Amino acid sequence: MSDTKLFDNVEVKKVVKKKRVLTQKQLDNLAKGRAKMKEKREALKKEQDKKGLLKKEKKAVKENTTIKKQNKIKKKQEKKDQDEAMTHRQKLLLNKQKKQQAEKLSKFDDLKSKWLCKTETIEDYDLVKEELDSIPEEDILDDDKLETSLLSIMQKYKGEDEE
């Protein structure tokens, strides 16, 4: 089917309207209006660009602050992990020290019982027990101090034996 024919053999012609002819004054005013709207659109676009830049700047600042916060949190977590690791190490060292102290105290108790077993009289037993009990725990834990204390006790009783 063609454009010009509608139904059977009836021709319909398209009506072509003539363009409206504007006067020069109307054309000038139309040009002024278009120029004015163009200026408004450009001003609005500049304003939106500024706002967009401001939004981008605000967004960048916000991202920077969030990154800083995340870094702060990471540093806190790392410090906490390091502290936990240090406390774990410290706990291990404390446990090791406690074990060593317990061993030294145990050895001293064994030594004390050996010395007390070697005493012949009750008075000697009481005197030796009193001397050994008078040694402070700090001296027992320090090998050098313990040795000097024990040597002084031994010399005391050797001196009594010679008399």
Side-chain angles (χ1 to χ4, degrees):
M1 261 191 176
S2 66
D3 306 349
T4 54
K5 290 187 179 183
L6 194 68
F7 306 110
D8 302 328
N9 296 336
V10 179
E11 273 189 42
V12 179
K13 291 185 178 178
K14 287 186 180 178
V15 180
V16 179
K17 278 188 173 179
K18 289 184 180 179
K19 284 191 174 182
R20 187 173 165 195
V21 179
L22 298 175
T23 64
Q24 189 61 38
K25 188 176 182 182
Q26 287 175 327
L27 289 173
D28 291 341
N29 287 336
L30 186 61
K32 282 182 187 177
R34 287 179 179 163
K36 203 175 192 181
M37 284 306 294
K38 186 177 181 182
E39 286 177 15
K40 279 186 177 181
R41 280 192 301 270
E42 286 176 0
L44 186 64
K45 190 174 181 181
K46 284 182 182 178
E47 204 174 294
Q48 287 177 344
D49 286 345
K50 285 181 183 178
K51 284 182 181 177
L53 287 175
L54 289 175
K55 284 182 181 179
K56 286 180 183 177
E57 288 174 2
K58 285 181 181 178
K59 192 174 183 179
V61 168
K62 191 174 185 180
E63 287 175 357
N64 284 341
T65 54
T66 55
I67 289 171
K68 285 180 183 178
K69 285 181 183 177
Q70 289 173 349
N71 287 341
K72 230 181 199 182
I73 291 170
K74 276 184 183 178
K75 285 181 182 178
K76 280 186 180 180
Q77 186 63 35
E78 287 173 359
K79 184 171 173 130
K80 187 178 178 182
D81 292 344
Q82 287 176 347
D83 288 345
E84 286 177 2
M86 285 300 290
T87 57
H88 182 68
R89 286 186 201 132
Q90 288 172 346
K91 285 179 184 176
L92 290 175
L93 285 174
L94 271 173
N95 287 341
K96 187 176 179 182
Q97 287 176 347
K98 286 181 181 179
K99 284 180 183 178
Q100 288 175 346
Q101 289 175 354
E103 286 176 13
K104 286 183 180 182
L105 290 172
S106 162
K107 284 182 182 178
F108 179 73
D109 286 340
D110 291 344
L111 181 70
K112 186 175 163 183
S113 61
K114 281 182 186 177
W115 278 27
L116 292 174
C117 287
K118 288 183 181 178
T119 57
E120 296 173 0
T121 62
I122 295 177
E123 291 104 21
D124 288 342
Y125 179 88
D126 291 339
L127 289 172
V128 171
K129 186 172 183 341
E130 187 178 321
E131 288 288 334
L132 291 174
D133 288 341
S134 69
I135 299 175
E137 188 174 317
E138 297 166 359
D139 289 353
I140 296 170
L141 296 176
D142 187 8
D143 292 335
D144 295 332
K145 289 182 180 179
L146 179 63
E147 188 177 343
T148 55
S149 298
L150 291 175
L151 286 174
S152 67
I153 293 171
M154 285 173 67
Q155 285 182 352
K156 242 188 208 181
Y157 290 101
K158 277 188 178 178
E160 286 180 9
D161 287 343
E162 292 175 359
E163 291 176 4

